[in-house]
Amino acid sequence: MDGAATFDHSTHVGGTLIAAGIDASAHGMAAAATIHSYDWNSDTSEMTSRAATYSGEPGKIYLSNHSYGYVSGWNYVNGGSPFRVWDWYGSGSSSTSIETDFGLYSSYASSNDSLAFNAPYYLIFRSAGNDRDDNPSSGQAVALSPGSASVVNYDPANHPGGDGTYRGGFDTIGFDAIAKNVMTVGSVSDAVTNGVRDVAKASVSNFSCWGPTDDGRIKPDVVANGEGLYSSLGSSDTAYGTYTGTSMATPNAVGSAALLIQQYGNLFAGQAMRASTLKGLLIHTADDLGNPGPDYKYGWGLVNVQAAADLIQDHKNFPVKQRMTESQLTSTTVSRIQAFVWDGVSPITATLCWTDPAATALSDSDSRSARLVNNLNLKIIDPANSEHLPFVMPFVGTWTQASMDSAATTGINNTDNVEQVRIAAPPAAGTYLAVVSFAGSLTNNSQNYSLLISGSSPEPPPPPLPPAD
């Protein structure tokens, strides 16, 4: 679209997205789609010009793939003059030095959030990055600043720790992928055995970057297969090759999302999902991996496009289940209650997602100030009037490295713009209430949101009882 040259990396990504399958082993995720390809220069202005602000907007797009990022932490060089194996892009040069861009809600993240907020039908997918295996070995030649003529032999006792070691591998995502409103994608191994989905085989890739963000938000959002993907290359019309990285996992997820956009448009003619609905749907239907609930390694889990498509179909077949709801809170409508009848068999899961206004960018590393602007809250009330609260991450408020790997608990989430309540074993038959509200005030006096529900029955809830005398 902007006259850029052909490259193997971008062609490989493109093939994963849409390859027709002339080589059956390289069949793309959404083979009937068309790519509008740009290089990464001026990406913000190009994205803004193409992003859909309403359903069916002519010439606009609903999603985009961004398999690139800025160099941070240690960068593998293995060359140069003078020769060195690694360059250090972080701050300082001692063993206590860190990469301040990891986890930071910078102007890059804020810009992404602003763009997304102003284009509520456009979902941005960002690769989480591959920094976690950027770890110099003792004695290797390293430059302690990019391109420095001064090269030393690496000593972990005196020099910055490897990106995957200095905080146990956590806090290695940076720049645009830190944004609240983007879908940040990490990598796992292929979850297939003999052509059949096998979720147990999906292990986080040794290179895939982990969260949290500095304020404790859950990143990555989801994971997808990014190891050993066979796809097209740019060197000739018949060139193929195998690449690995979160750059490969991201088009895996984006191609899947394109299928869901098509599925929704086929079932609901003339309509499209808001970006918050698509993001919430992918998170809601993902297969949980790692610690129970969300975590900073796998995010909300492995993308399951079949489960997401089935939910859309079920929403079409049984609208009374209220599987997918797009609504709004305002300064005067401070809460909304969605009643549903439990199906008596399934766990109950409700996922709330909203496209939050951009927060003020920060320059100080490890700031624990929440970047949430409109603080929506979700809870489920069961027939006995007991409240079930969403997941929260123990790192928030504790701020220790050990707590980065702790399993999620439940409580009031004042950090994320995705909230999820899970009731594995609902306590009783009857009507449950999903309650969406907000704390504090609302910027712009309103906030659109998307709510996904599983475990509801195709029967309407009884009318509420009149108030007692």
Side-chain angles (χ1 to χ4, degrees), residues 15-51:
T16 301
L17 285 166
I18 68 155
I22 293 172
D23 183 333
S25 298
H27 193 281
M29 303 301 291
T34 299
I35 291 175
H36 288 184
S37 178
Y38 299 79
D39 69 14
W40 76 333
N41 296 311
S42 304
D43 60 351
T44 299
S45 61
E46 290 165 345
M47 292 159 68
T48 301
S49 72
R50 299 302 309 280

PDB file of all heavy atoms in Angstrom, residues 15-51:
ATOM      1  N   GLY A  15       1.388 -14.924   4.617  1.00  0.00           N
ATOM      2  CA  GLY A  15       0.954 -16.279   4.285  1.00  0.00           C
ATOM      3  C   GLY A  15       0.187 -16.936   5.407  1.00  0.00           C
ATOM      4  O   GLY A  15      -0.823 -17.621   5.173  1.00  0.00           O
ATOM      5  N   THR A  16       0.633 -16.732   6.637  1.00  0.00           N
ATOM      6  CA  THR A  16      -0.102 -17.283   7.780  1.00  0.00           C
ATOM      7  C   THR A  16      -1.501 -16.694   7.841  1.00  0.00           C
ATOM      8  O   THR A  16      -2.464 -17.375   8.190  1.00  0.00           O
ATOM      9  CB  THR A  16       0.656 -17.004   9.087  1.00  0.00           C
ATOM     10  OG1 THR A  16       1.956 -17.594   9.010  1.00  0.00           O
ATOM     11  CG2 THR A  16      -0.089 -17.571  10.289  1.00  0.00           C
ATOM     12  N   LEU A  17      -1.641 -15.445   7.460  1.00  0.00           N
ATOM     13  CA  LEU A  17      -2.950 -14.797   7.467  1.00  0.00           C
ATOM     14  C   LEU A  17      -3.868 -15.350   6.372  1.00  0.00           C
ATOM     15  O   LEU A  17      -4.998 -15.759   6.657  1.00  0.00           O
ATOM     16  CB  LEU A  17      -2.786 -13.291   7.269  1.00  0.00           C
ATOM     17  CG  LEU A  17      -2.275 -12.475   8.457  1.00  0.00           C
ATOM     18  CD1 LEU A  17      -1.841 -11.099   7.990  1.00  0.00           C
ATOM     19  CD2 LEU A  17      -3.354 -12.358   9.522  1.00  0.00           C
ATOM     20  N   ILE A  18      -3.390 -15.396   5.112  1.00  0.00           N
ATOM     21  CA  ILE A  18      -4.354 -15.595   4.023  1.00  0.00           C
ATOM     22  C   ILE A  18      -3.918 -16.544   2.914  1.00  0.00           C
ATOM     23  O   ILE A  18      -4.604 -16.643   1.892  1.00  0.00           O
ATOM     24  CB  ILE A  18      -4.716 -14.249   3.363  1.00  0.00           C
ATOM     25  CG1 ILE A  18      -3.511 -13.672   2.610  1.00  0.00           C
ATOM     26  CG2 ILE A  18      -5.266 -13.264   4.368  1.00  0.00           C
ATOM     27  CD1 ILE A  18      -3.904 -12.743   1.484  1.00  0.00           C
ATOM     28  N   ALA A  19      -2.788 -17.246   3.036  1.00  0.00           N
ATOM     29  CA  ALA A  19      -2.322 -18.074   1.921  1.00  0.00           C
ATOM     30  C   ALA A  19      -3.415 -19.042   1.459  1.00  0.00           C
ATOM     31  O   ALA A  19      -4.117 -19.653   2.266  1.00  0.00           O
ATOM     32  CB  ALA A  19      -1.075 -18.854   2.322  1.00  0.00           C
ATOM     33  N   ALA A  20      -3.529 -19.170   0.131  1.00  0.00           N
ATOM     34  CA  ALA A  20      -4.622 -19.949  -0.467  1.00  0.00           C
ATOM     35  C   ALA A  20      -4.452 -21.447  -0.310  1.00  0.00           C
ATOM     36  O   ALA A  20      -5.413 -22.204  -0.485  1.00  0.00           O
ATOM     37  CB  ALA A  20      -4.743 -19.599  -1.955  1.00  0.00           C
ATOM     38  N   GLY A  21      -3.225 -21.896  -0.006  1.00  0.00           N
ATOM     39  CA  GLY A  21      -3.011 -23.328   0.162  1.00  0.00           C
ATOM     40  C   GLY A  21      -2.540 -24.032  -1.093  1.00  0.00           C
ATOM     41  O   GLY A  21      -2.761 -25.244  -1.243  1.00  0.00           O
ATOM     42  N   ILE A  22      -1.899 -23.304  -2.014  1.00  0.00           N
ATOM     43  CA  ILE A  22      -1.272 -23.952  -3.162  1.00  0.00           C
ATOM     44  C   ILE A  22      -0.291 -25.006  -2.670  1.00  0.00           C
ATOM     45  O   ILE A  22      -0.205 -26.097  -3.212  1.00  0.00           O
ATOM     46  CB  ILE A  22      -0.585 -22.897  -4.054  1.00  0.00           C
ATOM     47  CG1 ILE A  22      -1.646 -21.992  -4.692  1.00  0.00           C
ATOM     48  CG2 ILE A  22       0.284 -23.554  -5.117  1.00  0.00           C
ATOM     49  CD1 ILE A  22      -1.082 -20.807  -5.423  1.00  0.00           C
ATOM     50  N   ASP A  23       0.458 -24.659  -1.630  1.00  0.00           N
ATOM     51  CA  ASP A  23       1.174 -25.655  -0.832  1.00  0.00           C
ATOM     52  C   ASP A  23       0.298 -25.915   0.384  1.00  0.00           C
ATOM     53  O   ASP A  23       0.133 -25.047   1.249  1.00  0.00           O
ATOM     54  CB  ASP A  23       2.543 -25.118  -0.419  1.00  0.00           C
ATOM     55  CG  ASP A  23       3.375 -26.138   0.352  1.00  0.00           C
ATOM     56  OD1 ASP A  23       2.778 -27.023   1.007  1.00  0.00           O
ATOM     57  OD2 ASP A  23       4.616 -26.039   0.304  1.00  0.00           O
ATOM     58  N   ALA A  24      -0.303 -27.108   0.438  1.00  0.00           N
ATOM     59  CA  ALA A  24      -1.303 -27.389   1.480  1.00  0.00           C
ATOM     60  C   ALA A  24      -0.752 -27.219   2.883  1.00  0.00           C
ATOM     61  O   ALA A  24      -1.494 -26.883   3.812  1.00  0.00           O
ATOM     62  CB  ALA A  24      -1.858 -28.795   1.285  1.00  0.00           C
ATOM     63  N   SER A  25       0.548 -27.417   3.057  1.00  0.00           N
ATOM     64  CA  SER A  25       1.150 -27.279   4.386  1.00  0.00           C
ATOM     65  C   SER A  25       1.262 -25.824   4.822  1.00  0.00           C
ATOM     66  O   SER A  25       1.575 -25.552   5.982  1.00  0.00           O
ATOM     67  CB  SER A  25       2.539 -27.924   4.406  1.00  0.00           C
ATOM     68  OG  SER A  25       2.452 -29.302   4.135  1.00  0.00           O
ATOM     69  N   ALA A  26       1.036 -24.904   3.883  1.00  0.00           N
ATOM     70  CA  ALA A  26       1.154 -23.473   4.191  1.00  0.00           C
ATOM     71  C   ALA A  26      -0.174 -22.751   4.039  1.00  0.00           C
ATOM     72  O   ALA A  26      -0.213 -21.543   3.827  1.00  0.00           O
ATOM     73  CB  ALA A  26       2.202 -22.841   3.286  1.00  0.00           C
ATOM     74  N   HIS A  27      -1.275 -23.473   4.185  1.00  0.00           N
ATOM     75  CA  HIS A  27      -2.604 -22.876   4.049  1.00  0.00           C
ATOM     76  C   HIS A  27      -2.822 -21.838   5.145  1.00  0.00           C
ATOM     77  O   HIS A  27      -2.573 -22.101   6.317  1.00  0.00           O
ATOM     78  CB  HIS A  27      -3.664 -23.981   4.149  1.00  0.00           C
ATOM     79  CG  HIS A  27      -5.039 -23.561   3.724  1.00  0.00           C
ATOM     80  ND1 HIS A  27      -5.873 -22.830   4.536  1.00  0.00           N
ATOM     81  CD2 HIS A  27      -5.727 -23.758   2.571  1.00  0.00           C
ATOM     82  CE1 HIS A  27      -7.021 -22.614   3.906  1.00  0.00           C
ATOM     83  NE2 HIS A  27      -6.950 -23.160   2.706  1.00  0.00           N
ATOM     84  N   GLY A  28      -3.274 -20.646   4.767  1.00  0.00           N
ATOM     85  CA  GLY A  28      -3.461 -19.567   5.734  1.00  0.00           C
ATOM     86  C   GLY A  28      -4.734 -19.717   6.543  1.00  0.00           C
ATOM     87  O   GLY A  28      -5.604 -20.531   6.252  1.00  0.00           O
ATOM     88  N   MET A  29      -4.854 -18.877   7.572  1.00  0.00           N
ATOM     89  CA  MET A  29      -5.983 -18.956   8.491  1.00  0.00           C
ATOM     90  C   MET A  29      -7.281 -18.488   7.839  1.00  0.00           C
ATOM     91  O   MET A  29      -8.346 -19.050   8.080  1.00  0.00           O
ATOM     92  CB  MET A  29      -5.705 -18.116   9.745  1.00  0.00           C
ATOM     93  CG  MET A  29      -4.437 -18.491  10.492  1.00  0.00           C
ATOM     94  SD  MET A  29      -4.414 -20.200  11.054  1.00  0.00           S
ATOM     95  CE  MET A  29      -5.663 -20.149  12.324  1.00  0.00           C
ATOM     96  N   ALA A  30      -7.210 -17.440   7.022  1.00  0.00           N
ATOM     97  CA  ALA A  30      -8.402 -16.867   6.384  1.00  0.00           C
ATOM     98  C   ALA A  30      -8.109 -16.724   4.889  1.00  0.00           C
ATOM     99  O   ALA A  30      -7.831 -15.638   4.381  1.00  0.00           O
ATOM    100  CB  ALA A  30      -8.762 -15.520   7.006  1.00  0.00           C
ATOM    101  N   ALA A  31      -8.180 -17.854   4.195  1.00  0.00           N
ATOM    102  CA  ALA A  31      -7.627 -17.946   2.850  1.00  0.00           C
ATOM    103  C   ALA A  31      -8.371 -17.116   1.816  1.00  0.00           C
ATOM    104  O   ALA A  31      -7.847 -16.870   0.725  1.00  0.00           O
ATOM    105  CB  ALA A  31      -7.594 -19.414   2.405  1.00  0.00           C
ATOM    106  N   ALA A  32      -9.576 -16.668   2.105  1.00  0.00           N
ATOM    107  CA  ALA A  32     -10.326 -15.860   1.140  1.00  0.00           C
ATOM    108  C   ALA A  32     -10.193 -14.362   1.394  1.00  0.00           C
ATOM    109  O   ALA A  32     -10.775 -13.562   0.671  1.00  0.00           O
ATOM    110  CB  ALA A  32     -11.805 -16.256   1.165  1.00  0.00           C
ATOM    111  N   ALA A  33      -9.422 -13.997   2.398  1.00  0.00           N
ATOM    112  CA  ALA A  33      -9.264 -12.574   2.740  1.00  0.00           C
ATOM    113  C   ALA A  33      -8.226 -11.910   1.845  1.00  0.00           C
ATOM    114  O   ALA A  33      -7.478 -12.568   1.125  1.00  0.00           O
ATOM    115  CB  ALA A  33      -8.873 -12.437   4.206  1.00  0.00           C
ATOM    116  N   THR A  34      -8.170 -10.599   1.910  1.00  0.00           N
ATOM    117  CA  THR A  34      -7.196  -9.798   1.176  1.00  0.00           C
ATOM    118  C   THR A  34      -6.397  -8.968   2.173  1.00  0.00           C
ATOM    119  O   THR A  34      -6.955  -8.405   3.109  1.00  0.00           O
ATOM    120  CB  THR A  34      -7.900  -8.858   0.179  1.00  0.00           C
ATOM    121  OG1 THR A  34      -8.627  -9.645  -0.764  1.00  0.00           O
ATOM    122  CG2 THR A  34      -6.893  -7.985  -0.554  1.00  0.00           C
ATOM    123  N   ILE A  35      -5.091  -8.910   1.953  1.00  0.00           N
ATOM    124  CA  ILE A  35      -4.225  -8.100   2.810  1.00  0.00           C
ATOM    125  C   ILE A  35      -3.966  -6.743   2.164  1.00  0.00           C
ATOM    126  O   ILE A  35      -3.652  -6.665   0.979  1.00  0.00           O
ATOM    127  CB  ILE A  35      -2.872  -8.806   3.050  1.00  0.00           C
ATOM    128  CG1 ILE A  35      -3.048 -10.048   3.921  1.00  0.00           C
ATOM    129  CG2 ILE A  35      -1.880  -7.849   3.714  1.00  0.00           C
ATOM    130  CD1 ILE A  35      -1.780 -10.840   4.093  1.00  0.00           C
ATOM    131  N   HIS A  36      -4.086  -5.691   2.952  1.00  0.00           N
ATOM    132  CA  HIS A  36      -3.555  -4.378   2.594  1.00  0.00           C
ATOM    133  C   HIS A  36      -2.306  -4.197   3.454  1.00  0.00           C
ATOM    134  O   HIS A  36      -2.401  -3.986   4.663  1.00  0.00           O
ATOM    135  CB  HIS A  36      -4.572  -3.276   2.861  1.00  0.00           C
ATOM    136  CG  HIS A  36      -5.712  -3.278   1.893  1.00  0.00           C
ATOM    137  ND1 HIS A  36      -6.705  -2.318   1.906  1.00  0.00           N
ATOM    138  CD2 HIS A  36      -6.021  -4.109   0.869  1.00  0.00           C
ATOM    139  CE1 HIS A  36      -7.576  -2.563   0.938  1.00  0.00           C
ATOM    140  NE2 HIS A  36      -7.184  -3.645   0.297  1.00  0.00           N
ATOM    141  N   SER A  37      -1.143  -4.307   2.812  1.00  0.00           N
ATOM    142  CA  SER A  37       0.121  -4.366   3.546  1.00  0.00           C
ATOM    143  C   SER A  37       0.846  -3.028   3.511  1.00  0.00           C
ATOM    144  O   SER A  37       1.004  -2.418   2.449  1.00  0.00           O
ATOM    145  CB  SER A  37       1.009  -5.456   2.942  1.00  0.00           C
ATOM    146  OG  SER A  37       2.257  -5.504   3.599  1.00  0.00           O
ATOM    147  N   TYR A  38       1.287  -2.591   4.693  1.00  0.00           N
ATOM    148  CA  TYR A  38       2.091  -1.382   4.838  1.00  0.00           C
ATOM    149  C   TYR A  38       3.382  -1.742   5.577  1.00  0.00           C
ATOM    150  O   TYR A  38       3.392  -2.670   6.388  1.00  0.00           O
ATOM    151  CB  TYR A  38       1.362  -0.334   5.685  1.00  0.00           C
ATOM    152  CG  TYR A  38       0.042   0.168   5.153  1.00  0.00           C
ATOM    153  CD1 TYR A  38      -1.121  -0.584   5.298  1.00  0.00           C
ATOM    154  CD2 TYR A  38      -0.061   1.426   4.554  1.00  0.00           C
ATOM    155  CE1 TYR A  38      -2.347  -0.107   4.839  1.00  0.00           C
ATOM    156  CE2 TYR A  38      -1.281   1.909   4.091  1.00  0.00           C
ATOM    157  CZ  TYR A  38      -2.422   1.139   4.241  1.00  0.00           C
ATOM    158  OH  TYR A  38      -3.632   1.607   3.801  1.00  0.00           O
ATOM    159  N   ASP A  39       4.462  -0.985   5.335  1.00  0.00           N
ATOM    160  CA  ASP A  39       5.596  -1.135   6.234  1.00  0.00           C
ATOM    161  C   ASP A  39       5.269  -0.403   7.543  1.00  0.00           C
ATOM    162  O   ASP A  39       4.208   0.195   7.685  1.00  0.00           O
ATOM    163  CB  ASP A  39       6.899  -0.665   5.583  1.00  0.00           C
ATOM    164  CG  ASP A  39       6.968   0.844   5.375  1.00  0.00           C
ATOM    165  OD1 ASP A  39       6.142   1.584   5.946  1.00  0.00           O
ATOM    166  OD2 ASP A  39       7.863   1.285   4.625  1.00  0.00           O
ATOM    167  N   TRP A  40       6.184  -0.461   8.481  1.00  0.00           N
ATOM    168  CA  TRP A  40       5.833   0.073   9.801  1.00  0.00           C
ATOM    169  C   TRP A  40       6.091   1.564   9.945  1.00  0.00           C
ATOM    170  O   TRP A  40       5.734   2.155  10.965  1.00  0.00           O
ATOM    171  CB  TRP A  40       6.534  -0.721  10.901  1.00  0.00           C
ATOM    172  CG  TRP A  40       7.997  -0.450  11.108  1.00  0.00           C
ATOM    173  CD1 TRP A  40       8.903  -0.010  10.193  1.00  0.00           C
ATOM    174  CD2 TRP A  40       8.695  -0.614  12.333  1.00  0.00           C
ATOM    175  NE1 TRP A  40      10.138   0.106  10.769  1.00  0.00           N
ATOM    176  CE2 TRP A  40      10.043  -0.260  12.087  1.00  0.00           C
ATOM    177  CE3 TRP A  40       8.332  -1.017  13.615  1.00  0.00           C
ATOM    178  CZ2 TRP A  40      11.022  -0.305  13.082  1.00  0.00           C
ATOM    179  CZ3 TRP A  40       9.321  -1.068  14.603  1.00  0.00           C
ATOM    180  CH2 TRP A  40      10.639  -0.720  14.331  1.00  0.00           C
ATOM    181  N   ASN A  41       6.687   2.202   8.964  1.00  0.00           N
ATOM    182  CA  ASN A  41       6.852   3.658   9.031  1.00  0.00           C
ATOM    183  C   ASN A  41       5.491   4.343   8.969  1.00  0.00           C
ATOM    184  O   ASN A  41       4.615   3.944   8.208  1.00  0.00           O
ATOM    185  CB  ASN A  41       7.723   4.137   7.872  1.00  0.00           C
ATOM    186  CG  ASN A  41       9.130   3.587   7.948  1.00  0.00           C
ATOM    187  OD1 ASN A  41       9.766   3.649   8.980  1.00  0.00           O
ATOM    188  ND2 ASN A  41       9.611   3.029   6.835  1.00  0.00           N
ATOM    189  N   SER A  42       5.322   5.353   9.782  1.00  0.00           N
ATOM    190  CA  SER A  42       4.077   6.136   9.815  1.00  0.00           C
ATOM    191  C   SER A  42       2.863   5.260  10.103  1.00  0.00           C
ATOM    192  O   SER A  42       1.760   5.532   9.622  1.00  0.00           O
ATOM    193  CB  SER A  42       3.868   6.876   8.471  1.00  0.00           C
ATOM    194  OG  SER A  42       4.978   7.681   8.157  1.00  0.00           O
ATOM    195  N   ASP A  43       3.064   4.226  10.901  1.00  0.00           N
ATOM    196  CA  ASP A  43       1.950   3.295  11.111  1.00  0.00           C
ATOM    197  C   ASP A  43       0.773   3.935  11.834  1.00  0.00           C
ATOM    198  O   ASP A  43      -0.385   3.639  11.519  1.00  0.00           O
ATOM    199  CB  ASP A  43       2.407   2.021  11.822  1.00  0.00           C
ATOM    200  CG  ASP A  43       3.023   2.248  13.186  1.00  0.00           C
ATOM    201  OD1 ASP A  43       3.270   3.420  13.546  1.00  0.00           O
ATOM    202  OD2 ASP A  43       3.282   1.257  13.890  1.00  0.00           O
ATOM    203  N   THR A  44       1.023   4.848  12.752  1.00  0.00           N
ATOM    204  CA  THR A  44      -0.091   5.439  13.498  1.00  0.00           C
ATOM    205  C   THR A  44      -1.022   6.226  12.573  1.00  0.00           C
ATOM    206  O   THR A  44      -2.246   6.080  12.638  1.00  0.00           O
ATOM    207  CB  THR A  44       0.428   6.353  14.620  1.00  0.00           C
ATOM    208  OG1 THR A  44       1.217   5.581  15.525  1.00  0.00           O
ATOM    209  CG2 THR A  44      -0.723   6.984  15.377  1.00  0.00           C
ATOM    210  N   SER A  45      -0.453   7.033  11.696  1.00  0.00           N
ATOM    211  CA  SER A  45      -1.301   7.808  10.785  1.00  0.00           C
ATOM    212  C   SER A  45      -2.002   6.898   9.782  1.00  0.00           C
ATOM    213  O   SER A  45      -3.171   7.131   9.433  1.00  0.00           O
ATOM    214  CB  SER A  45      -0.468   8.865  10.057  1.00  0.00           C
ATOM    215  OG  SER A  45       0.552   8.273   9.274  1.00  0.00           O
ATOM    216  N   GLU A  46      -1.318   5.857   9.328  1.00  0.00           N
ATOM    217  CA  GLU A  46      -1.941   4.925   8.387  1.00  0.00           C
ATOM    218  C   GLU A  46      -3.067   4.144   9.053  1.00  0.00           C
ATOM    219  O   GLU A  46      -4.136   3.938   8.461  1.00  0.00           O
ATOM    220  CB  GLU A  46      -0.879   3.982   7.823  1.00  0.00           C
ATOM    221  CG  GLU A  46       0.096   4.679   6.893  1.00  0.00           C
ATOM    222  CD  GLU A  46       1.351   3.878   6.597  1.00  0.00           C
ATOM    223  OE1 GLU A  46       1.622   2.893   7.323  1.00  0.00           O
ATOM    224  OE2 GLU A  46       2.070   4.243   5.648  1.00  0.00           O
ATOM    225  N   MET A  47      -2.839   3.699  10.283  1.00  0.00           N
ATOM    226  CA  MET A  47      -3.882   2.989  11.020  1.00  0.00           C
ATOM    227  C   MET A  47      -5.093   3.889  11.242  1.00  0.00           C
ATOM    228  O   MET A  47      -6.238   3.468  11.068  1.00  0.00           O
ATOM    229  CB  MET A  47      -3.318   2.501  12.355  1.00  0.00           C
ATOM    230  CG  MET A  47      -2.263   1.409  12.225  1.00  0.00           C
ATOM    231  SD  MET A  47      -1.209   1.288  13.687  1.00  0.00           S
ATOM    232  CE  MET A  47      -2.373   0.676  14.895  1.00  0.00           C
ATOM    233  N   THR A  48      -4.827   5.137  11.620  1.00  0.00           N
ATOM    234  CA  THR A  48      -5.918   6.076  11.867  1.00  0.00           C
ATOM    235  C   THR A  48      -6.763   6.281  10.616  1.00  0.00           C
ATOM    236  O   THR A  48      -7.999   6.365  10.680  1.00  0.00           O
ATOM    237  CB  THR A  48      -5.350   7.422  12.349  1.00  0.00           C
ATOM    238  OG1 THR A  48      -4.594   7.221  13.546  1.00  0.00           O
ATOM    239  CG2 THR A  48      -6.461   8.417  12.617  1.00  0.00           C
ATOM    240  N   SER A  49      -6.105   6.331   9.460  1.00  0.00           N
ATOM    241  CA  SER A  49      -6.832   6.565   8.212  1.00  0.00           C
ATOM    242  C   SER A  49      -7.680   5.369   7.795  1.00  0.00           C
ATOM    243  O   SER A  49      -8.640   5.525   7.041  1.00  0.00           O
ATOM    244  CB  SER A  49      -5.854   6.912   7.091  1.00  0.00           C
ATOM    245  OG  SER A  49      -5.103   5.770   6.693  1.00  0.00           O
ATOM    246  N   ARG A  50      -7.354   4.163   8.306  1.00  0.00           N
ATOM    247  CA  ARG A  50      -8.051   2.959   7.867  1.00  0.00           C
ATOM    248  C   ARG A  50      -8.989   2.383   8.922  1.00  0.00           C
ATOM    249  O   ARG A  50      -9.798   1.497   8.619  1.00  0.00           O
ATOM    250  CB  ARG A  50      -7.034   1.871   7.466  1.00  0.00           C
ATOM    251  CG  ARG A  50      -6.113   2.239   6.318  1.00  0.00           C
ATOM    252  CD  ARG A  50      -6.861   2.603   5.044  1.00  0.00           C
ATOM    253  NE  ARG A  50      -7.842   1.601   4.658  1.00  0.00           N
ATOM    254  CZ  ARG A  50      -7.550   0.463   4.012  1.00  0.00           C
ATOM    255  NH1 ARG A  50      -6.303   0.192   3.694  1.00  0.00           N
ATOM    256  NH2 ARG A  50      -8.502  -0.379   3.685  1.00  0.00           N
ATOM    257  N   ALA A  51      -8.888   2.837  10.140  1.00  0.00           N
ATOM    258  CA  ALA A  51      -9.604   2.207  11.252  1.00  0.00           C
ATOM    259  C   ALA A  51     -11.104   2.485  11.191  1.00  0.00           C
ATOM    260  O   ALA A  51     -11.529   3.624  10.991  1.00  0.00           O
ATOM    261  CB  ALA A  51      -9.031   2.708  12.574  1.00  0.00           C
TER     262      ALA A  51
END
